[in-house]
Every structure is written in C-alpha cells, then in structure tokens.
C-alpha cells in the first residue's frame, strides 16, 4: 500500500512538471498574426527568423524593422517569384517532410512529399529550377548511417526528380558506378541547365558540375561541399575542409580554377549565398554573416537570429 | 474445463510470468517511451535547431561505442562482485534519465551534446546486462524464453509509443524541443521510481573468483555460445541498410520510409512471446538459429527481382521475426547456462561480443556496397550467414 502511494505521488508530481513545462513552452511561442510578404519586391533581404517564420528587412538597413510572415519553414529560398520552403511536420503521428513550392505571395502552389530532415534549399535565379536536400538517418541514433536525398523540380515542365542519385557520374573522365553516392547542395546557373553540387562517395566529398538535360555530372575537385554560383556565373563559393573539424569558406574562379580562402576563419556549415558579385552571406552561430568574396576584409554580422537568407527580387 | 497450456490467453500468460519480470518489463516500457522520444527528435533537433551537418551527426553517432562496451563489462563485474544487480541497473536508468536534462543544459555546444549522449549510452550499457540477469534469475529455467518474450514485447511497445509521444509534445507546444526533452526526463524518472519500488534484487552467492569475467570465460560451452553469437553478428546487416535496400529495391516513396522500422517493430511485438515459448519447448538454440534463417530469407528477398507489397510485408515480418527469435532467446540460452553468481558478467560479455561484431558488420557491409554494389554485399553476407549458421549449429549443440 505504501509503495502504491509513493508511486501515485511520484506519477502526479512528474506529470505536473511535464504538463506545466509544456504549457509554458507553448505559451512562449511568440507566433502572432503575420504580415504579407512579396518575395519579388526588390531591395529586401528575406530570411528565416528565430521562430522559424519567413521575415524580411530592407537590404539597406538589415538592423531595421522586420516584417514577419505567417509562413514557417525549416529551410527557405526564393528567386524571381518562386520560393521553396522545406517543412517537417507530424502526419498521422509520424514525422513527415515536404517541399512546398510557393508563389511570390508565399501561397502554396505545389507540395512534394519527402522523408528525412531538411538540409538545403535553392531556387535558380530565373525561378524555374528548384532543388532541395533532405537526409535520412537510421531509426535510432545508436545505429549509425545516413543518406542524403536530393531532389530537383523543373517548374516549367512540373517534373520532379525525388532522388538524383541515378545521374551518370564521371570521375577522372570515366563513368563512375557506386551505390553509395550521396548528393547535396545543388546550385543552378543562369541557363537553368548547368548546375554544381556536392557528391560524397567512399568517404570523400567532391564538387561536381552537372548538365540537367543530358543528366550527367562530372567531378571537378575533391574535399568541397555546398557550392554556390555567383550571380555573374564566374565563381563558386563553397566550404572546404581545412582541418578534420573545420570547414572554411572559399571562392573558386572557374576560368582559372584558382581558389581563395575568405576572411571568415571559423568553421561554417551552410551553403553560402551571394549578396552581390562581391560579397557572400552564410549562417553561423544562429545569425547570418557576410564577408567580402575576394578574401579581404572581415566578417560582419548581417542579421542576428536568422538563417536561410535570400535576396528578394 | 480443460485449458490448453499451449495456447495461453493473455491473462493466464501474465499470471505465469514472474512478478519481477513484469515489473522489469514495465520499467523497460516506460524507459523506452522516454528514450525513443529523444531518439525520434534528436536528429531533427541537432540539424534544424543546432545546424549540425551529416558528418558531425555521424561523428556523434559512432564515437562512443567503445566507451559503452567498457562500461558494460565493468558494470557486469560490479553487479556480480557485490551481487547488487538492481543497484547497477538503477544507476544506469538514472544516468540515462539525467542525460535528458543534460540535453536541455547542453544548448548548442557540440562538445557538451557529445558528453550528454555518451552519458545516455553509458547508462544503457550499464543497465542492460543486470536487467537481463534479473529477468533470468527471477524465472524458472524452463520458462526463460517466455519470460524474455514478455519483457521484449513490453520493451518494444514502449519503443513504438515513444515517437508518438514526442511528436505529440512537439505538435502541442508548437515545436518546443526543450519540452520534449523535459517530458522525456519525467517519463524516465517514473521508470526509475518503478524500478526502485517494484523490482526486487536477486542475490546469489558471490563468485569464487575475484574477476567473474575469468570464470565466465573458462566455461567452454559459454565461450562457444559467445563465439557463435559474434560470428552471426558479423553477417547481420544493420537495420538502416535493410530499410534503405527495401526503399530502393521496391521503389518505396520516400515519405513512407519512416514506416519501415515500424513494420519490423510490429512483427517483433507480435512474435516475441510465441517464439519465446516455442524456444522453451523446442530448444532455444534451435529457435535462435532459426531466427537467422529468417534473416537469410529476408536477404534473399532483398536480392531477388520480385517487387510489390507482398515482398515488403515478407521482408519486414522476417526481419521482425529474426529479432523475436534471437534477442531475448539468446539471453535465455545464456541464463540457463551461467551460474547465478556470475550471470551479469556473462550476459555483459555476450552482449558485448554481439554488439562489437554487428559494428564490424556495418562497416564491412558499407564497404562491400561501396566497392561493388548492394547485391554483391547482400550475396556476401548471405553466404557468410550460411557458413556462420553451419558453424554455430556444430559448436553450440
């Protein structure tokens, strides 16, 4: 009898703590009604704020007043009136991830069901090509293993590729076959056909240049992750392993294949975004930073408590 | 009225299982709700909230396997040397419970998160062998298979409920991961309370040897059992690869991927008790090896060309059946074999041998898949499985 009493007391106490904390956590959610955002309106910086919602500030005054929308995304990117928003949600008690394609008013036009955890999202400069990366892990973090699934959607034809791992890959000029290829971080060129991406196989990561129409990709160099093509199409920003635990931002000039390390010396885990032809932005430590693209200068905090940066227009 | 003892209805089944086993089952159920809550959301939390990349996630995954192994053997030794199984198990459960609070405190520091995950896994390493030893010491030898079957059923039920609870909390709080961790801690604490209140320690005479490990390994039959388990572990493809292969071979839509582990768990849940009882009647080693034949069947189906829902169901049932016929059954084999005073150490050695072998198999299969393709990898593993089964059949009988 005494045991039952102790158990009942413990159960009630623990349940009260759990419920009280959850109620407080739910109340702390600052989600109020949002305002309308237009991703095609030039002169704004769009980003994901600390509550997960898409927000915007004036590009000339990033510290100024913020407009916050009702749209929540785990990864977000937009260009020329097309936006991609990756969300993880619970459907029928199970985790589910989707890529939402949004118009310039952030209204959903298409929903593609995926699995895994949102990792990267990009829209080509014209707004035509959309790509995303999710990765799936084993059902237990005690049992290792993960796999990335990168998809590409051509919004003009409406044809989605859910996992691009069957693309014909060439390494050192030879057709390369391996079942363990994992792609992530796609960036498209101005013609909406040429693209760059990361491929990992046999424990190494490589930069690949891809041709969407021919559905082939060739390896350009090793130890590179998450490329991002400059607006003028002449340079790639990417992160490159500089020590076993440090990934440092570099810019590669495609004409000369010369690499320059950027002034940010801290490890960066993000797909860089070109603010213009002379500066790149990236997420680090919970905020968005910017640094000159030629290796000079110093990094500066552009927007605190933000991620998934996009230049509107 | 005549009631067949071969088909016990639920209530009679529960009455035939010792109260201590039911108490341990309840502790495992509650604890698994707690730990699977965290497991379900941790990758999301690490990536979306803290911004870790897949490589860092992989490092957090794998680095602590060695630590856990040592802790398991040390915990088994202490439990046997002092004959304090409940105390060591309770320490393990409590450590894992506090690790949930550690997740709240670690914030975004990858180093601190690594330490917290290591503590959680240390707790798991500490508790598993004394718990299984307590189950076997509380049960008459002829009903060990059934007792482990009931325990593993309750354990798996908790594992199935955990993710539901986690996503329920996330949905109710608008995505507050800290609330998930705190609720998980409360549930884990309840598990510790249940253990302290309702599980009774079983003490045997202290082992004659100061190091129980030595006397355990001096037993030839037990050495052979460990060898057989390790050999079979070397050719056991890890779950994640099985699901990935299923997804690729059957072209399953990615959004259905999270359902695959549920299929295995459901089959495990339904088959653990019947197969445990079968093991008691027809021979535990036979059922243990039979489980690996089911695994071989799953490999062959994964290699074959037929596709469709039937293959999917067959693979998942075989996979879940493999766990139901091997996980608890192996512990019941060991329980009947090991002297009471050294049982925890023996089980720790056995679990460690199996876990280490499966880790090697994961690496080997990954390498085979990479160097050739998944089919070659499966073919190699299937061939190895046949050889390992023949060897195990000869050495363990």
């Amino acid at each position: 009898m005494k045991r039952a009493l102790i158990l009942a007391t413990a159960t009630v106490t623990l349940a009260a703590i759990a419920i009280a904390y959850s109620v407080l956590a739910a109340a702390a959610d600052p989600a109020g009604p949002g305002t309308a955002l237009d991703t095609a309106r030039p002169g704004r910086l769009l980003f994901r704020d600390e509550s997960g919602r898409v927000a915007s500030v004036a590009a000339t005054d990033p510290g100024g007043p913020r407009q916050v929308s009702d749209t929540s995304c785990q990864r977000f990117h937009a260009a020329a009136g097309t936006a991609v928003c990756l969300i993880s949600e619970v459907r029928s008690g199970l985790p589910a991830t989707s890529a939402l394609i949004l118009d310039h008013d952030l209204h959903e036009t298409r929903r593609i069901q995926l699995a895994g955890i949102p990792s990267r999202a990009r829209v080509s400069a014209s707004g035509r090509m959309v790509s995303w990366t999710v990765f799936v892990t084993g059902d237990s973090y005690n049992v290792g293993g993960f796999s990335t699934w990168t998809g590409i959607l051509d919004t003009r034809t409406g044809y989605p590729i859910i996992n691009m791992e069957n693309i014909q890959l060439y390494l050192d000029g030879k057709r390369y076959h391996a079942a363990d290829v994992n792609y992530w971080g796609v960036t498209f060129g101005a013609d909406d056909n040429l693209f760059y991406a990361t491929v990992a196989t046999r424990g190494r990561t490589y930069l690949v240049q891809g041709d969407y129409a021919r559905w082939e990709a060739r390896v350009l160099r090793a130890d590179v992750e998450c490329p991002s093509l400059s607006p003028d199409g002449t340079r790639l920003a990417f992160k490159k392993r500089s020590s076993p635990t440090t990934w440092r931002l570099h810019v590669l000039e495609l004409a000369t294949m010369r690499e320059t390390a950027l002034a940010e010396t801290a490890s960066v885990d993000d797909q860089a975004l070109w603010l213009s032809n002379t500066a790149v932005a990236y997420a680090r430590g919970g905020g968005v930073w910017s640094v000159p693209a030629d290796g000079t200068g110093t990094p500066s905090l552009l927007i605190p408590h933000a991620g998934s940066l996009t230049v509107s227009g | 009225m005549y009631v067949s003892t071969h088909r016990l209805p639920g209530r009679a089944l529960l009455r035939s299982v010792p109260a201590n086993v039911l108490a341990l089952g309840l502790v495992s159920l509650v604890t698994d709700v707690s730990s699977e809550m965290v497991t379900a959301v941790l990758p999301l939390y690490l990536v979306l909230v803290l911004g870790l990349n897949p490589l860092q996630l992989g490092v957090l995954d794998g680095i602590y396997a060695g630590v856990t192994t040592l802790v398991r053997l040390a915990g088994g030794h202490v439990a046997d040397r002092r004959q304090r199984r409940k105390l060591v198990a309770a320490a393990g459960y409590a450590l894992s419970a506090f690790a949930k609070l550690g997740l709240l405190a670690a914030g975004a520091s990858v180093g601190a998160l690594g330490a917290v995950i290591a503590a959680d896994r240390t707790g798991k390493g500490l508790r598993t062998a004394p718990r299984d030893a307590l189950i076997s010491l509380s049960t008459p030898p002829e009903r060990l298979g059934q007792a482990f079957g009931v325990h593993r059923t309750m354990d798996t039920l908790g594992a199935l409920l955990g993710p539901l609870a986690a996503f329920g909390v996330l949905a109710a709080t608008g995505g507050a991961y800290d609330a998930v961790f705190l609720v998980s801690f409360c549930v884990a604490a309840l598990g510790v309370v249940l253990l302290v209140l309702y599980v009774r320690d079983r003490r045997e005479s202290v082992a004659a040897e100061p190091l129980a490990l030595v006397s355990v390994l001096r037993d030839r039959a037990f050495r052979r059992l460990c060898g057989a388990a390790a050999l079979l572990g070397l050719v056991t493809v890890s779950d994640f690869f099985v699901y990935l292969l299923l997804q690729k071979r059957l072209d399953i839509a990615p959004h259905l991927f999270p359902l695959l582990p549920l299929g295995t768990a459901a089959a495990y849940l339904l088959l653990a008790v019947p197969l445990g009882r079968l093991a008691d009647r027809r021979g535990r080693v036979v059922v243990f090896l039979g489980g690996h034949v089911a695994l071989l069947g799953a490999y062959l189906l994964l290699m074959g060309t037929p596709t469709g829902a039937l293959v999917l169901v067959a693979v998942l049932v075989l996979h879940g059946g493999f766990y139901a016929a091997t996980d608890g059954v192996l512990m019941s084999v060991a329980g009947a074999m090991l002297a009471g005073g050294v049982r925890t150490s023996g089980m720790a050695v056995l679990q460690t041998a199996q876990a280490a072998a499966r880790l090697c198999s994961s690496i080997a299969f990954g390498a085979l898949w990479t160097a050739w393709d998944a089919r070659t990898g499966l073919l190699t593993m299937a061939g190895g499985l046949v050889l390992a089964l023949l060897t195990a059949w000869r050495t363990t009988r």
Side-chain angles (χ1 to χ4, degrees):
Chain A
M1 218 48 234
K2 200 175 152 204
R3 278 194 303 185
L5 193 67
I6 298 173
L7 178 64
T9 313
T11 308
V12 169
T13 311
L14 289 168
I17 293 171
I19 291 168
Y21 191 95
S22 299
V23 168
L24 284 176
D29 187 18
T35 55
L37 285 188
D38 183 352
T39 66
R41 176 183 160 199
R44 309 284 295 179
L45 293 176
L46 305 163
F47 56 94
R48 180 182 182 268
D49 76 1
E50 66 259 49
S51 71
R53 293 190 294 174
V54 177
S56 91
V57 289
T60 49
D61 181 20
R66 289 183 175 192
Q67 290 184 341
V68 183
S69 75
D70 281 324
T71 304
S72 286
C73 308
Q74 259 118 21
R75 293 287 184 268
F76 175 83
H77 190 240
T82 305
V84 58
C85 167
L86 300 186
I87 54 165
S88 278
E89 54 189 357
V90 182
R91 278 199 301 266
S92 329
L94 281 170
T97 289
S98 301
L100 312 186
I101 311 302
L102 312 174
D103 67 10
H104 69 98
D105 283 329
L106 298 178
H107 289 126
E108 184 179 330
T109 58
R110 176 100 187 250
R111 178 177 288 239
I112 299 164
Q113 292 194 327
L114 309 167
I117 301 160
S119 175
R120 306 288 177 217
R122 275 291 185 271
V123 180
S124 71
S126 73
R128 175 179 168 182
M129 307 301 285
V130 179
S131 80
W132 59 82
T133 301
V134 294
F135 61 86
V136 292
T137 59
D139 63 318
S140 160
Y141 72 89
N142 287 340
V143 182
F146 66 85
S147 185
T148 57
W149 293 348
T150 290
I152 297 173
L153 169 73
D154 181 345
T155 58
R156 195 167 297 172
T157 64
Y159 178 69
I161 289 160
I162 299 297
N163 188 353
M164 63 175 285
E165 69 182 21
N166 67 348
I167 193 169
Q168 301 163 57
L169 178 64
Y170 292 87
L171 179 67
D172 298 329
K174 286 193 291 286
R175 179 84 165 86
Y176 178 84
H177 291 277
D180 77 334
V181 291
N182 276 310
Y183 290 86
W184 66 86
V186 171
T187 178
F188 267 94
D191 66 354
D192 287 328
N193 184 56
L194 173 85
F195 68 86
Y196 296 89
T198 318
V199 65
T201 177
R202 302 188 191 196
R204 286 197 84 176
T205 60
Y206 302 91
L207 172 69
V208 296
Q209 186 186 58
D211 185 311
Y212 179 75
R214 295 164 65 101
W215 200 236
E216 60 181 40
R218 61 190 178 91
V219 169
L220 292 187
R221 58 209 291 133
D223 299 325
V224 167
E225 275 197 31
C226 293
S228 177
L229 192 60
S230 62
D232 61 14
T234 61
R235 284 157 297 159
L236 278 176
F238 50 70
K239 59 199 186 80
K240 179 177 176 168
R241 197 193 285 266
S242 62
S243 84
T245 55
T246 312
W247 293 89
R248 191 163 171 189
L249 283 179
H250 286 70
V251 164
L252 174 76
E253 198 164 308
L254 288 164
T256 60
M257 292 303 264
R258 217 185 59 210
E259 242 175 49
T260 309
L262 300 192
E264 173 63 85
T265 53
S267 189
V268 170
D269 175 33
D270 192 21
Q271 187 169 14
L273 183 111
W274 291 79
L275 288 167
S276 64
N277 278 314
T278 54
V280 296
Y282 50 93
R284 178 167 82 75
V288 173
W289 294 68
S290 81
V291 69
D294 59 3
T296 64
T298 50
S300 63
L301 183 61
L302 188 64
I303 308 173
H305 307 298
S308 281
L309 189 76
T310 298
V311 180
S312 72
Chain B
M1 204 176 91
Y2 174 75
V3 178
S4 164
T5 49
H6 289 287
R7 298 187 54 220
L8 283 174
R11 211 169 192 179
L13 174 70
L14 287 187
R15 221 177 294 133
S16 74
V17 175
N20 215 25
V21 173
L22 290 179
L24 284 161
L26 198 60
V27 171
S28 286
L29 192 158
V30 169
T31 304
D32 255 36
V33 169
S34 160
S35 64
E36 293 299 319
M37 278 181 83
V38 170
T39 302
V41 303
L42 196 64
L44 275 171
Y45 173 71
L46 293 177
V47 173
L48 295 178
V49 180
L50 304 184
L52 264 60
N53 64 20
L55 285 168
Q56 289 173 305
L57 203 65
V59 169
L60 277 186
D61 248 14
I63 208 161
Y64 305 106
V67 182
T68 320
T69 305
L70 288 179
V71 165
R72 182 166 21 208
L73 293 175
H77 171 70
V78 171
D80 279 344
R81 198 65 208 139
R82 311 260 153 140
Q83 291 298 312
R84 300 293 296 266
R85 301 198 168 77
K86 182 176 164 180
L87 185 71
V88 173
Y93 280 107
L95 187 59
S96 290
F98 282 110
K100 273 68 182 184
L101 286 185
L103 282 174
L104 282 174
S109 155
V110 175
L113 279 168
V116 167
I117 292 173
D120 185 42
R121 297 191 56 180
T122 298
K124 191 168 169 56
L126 267 183
R127 72 187 182 234
T128 309
R131 180 200 68 197
D132 282 350
L134 277 176
I135 292 173
S136 75
L137 288 170
S138 312
T139 310
E142 69 277 7
R143 287 209 213 125
L144 279 174
Q146 171 182 296
F148 276 103
V150 168
H151 175 267
R152 296 303 198 258
T153 302
M154 295 173 85
D155 189 87
T156 308
L157 189 62
L160 282 170
L161 293 175
L164 289 178
F167 291 113
V169 172
L170 274 188
T173 57
Y177 288 91
D178 53 341
V180 176
F181 299 148
L182 190 101
V183 172
S184 167
F185 164 74
C186 291
V187 176
L190 181 65
V192 175
V193 171
L194 282 169
L195 176 90
V196 170
L197 289 178
Y198 289 99
V199 171
R200 297 176 56 187
D201 207 357
R202 302 291 300 214
R203 299 188 184 178
E204 304 281 320
S205 55
V206 175
E209 310 245 6
L211 208 56
L213 269 182
V214 174
S215 81
V216 161
L217 288 174
R218 199 166 285 159
D219 180 346
R220 188 161 171 211
F222 185 70
R223 273 206 316 266
R224 286 182 157 180
L225 182 68
C226 289
L231 197 61
L232 289 163
L234 277 178
V235 285
T236 302
V237 176
S238 90
D239 296 0
F240 182 64
F241 285 130
V242 170
Y243 302 137
L244 217 50
L245 284 167
L246 258 184
Q247 193 268 333
K248 281 180 191 230
R249 173 110 10 224
L250 302 185
D251 213 12
I252 293 165
H255 68 276
L256 300 177
F257 188 77
L259 288 173
L260 299 179
L262 291 186
T264 298
Y268 185 14
L269 187 73
L270 293 175
L271 292 172
V273 171
L275 287 175
R277 289 167 54 78
L278 185 72
D280 287 339
R281 289 205 307 274
R282 296 290 157 85
R284 297 185 182 119
V285 171
V286 176
V287 170
F288 176 70
L289 296 179
H292 286 85
V293 175
L295 183 66
L296 184 65
Y299 289 179
L300 295 178
L301 280 177
L302 282 172
M303 258 187 280
T305 40
T307 55
L310 212 61
V311 174
L312 173 70
V313 171
V315 169
L316 292 177
V317 167
L318 287 170
H319 196 235
F322 157 66
Y323 278 111
T326 55
D327 186 21
V329 172
L330 180 62
M331 289 304 121
S332 63
V333 178
M337 198 181 262
L338 293 160
V342 296
R343 203 164 285 178
T344 319
S345 296
M347 287 182 162
V349 169
L350 183 57
Q351 286 162 356
T352 299
Q354 193 178 40
R358 283 189 179 165
L359 197 69
C360 294
S361 122
S362 246
I363 295 165
F365 186 74
L368 287 169
W369 183 335
T370 303
W372 289 283
D373 53 37
R375 207 187 161 89
T376 310
L378 274 176
L379 199 64
T380 311
M381 292 307 235
L385 187 50
V386 171
L387 289 178
L389 267 170
L390 290 174
T391 312
W393 177 257
R394 280 181 43 194
T395 55
T396 54
R397 278 172 55 89

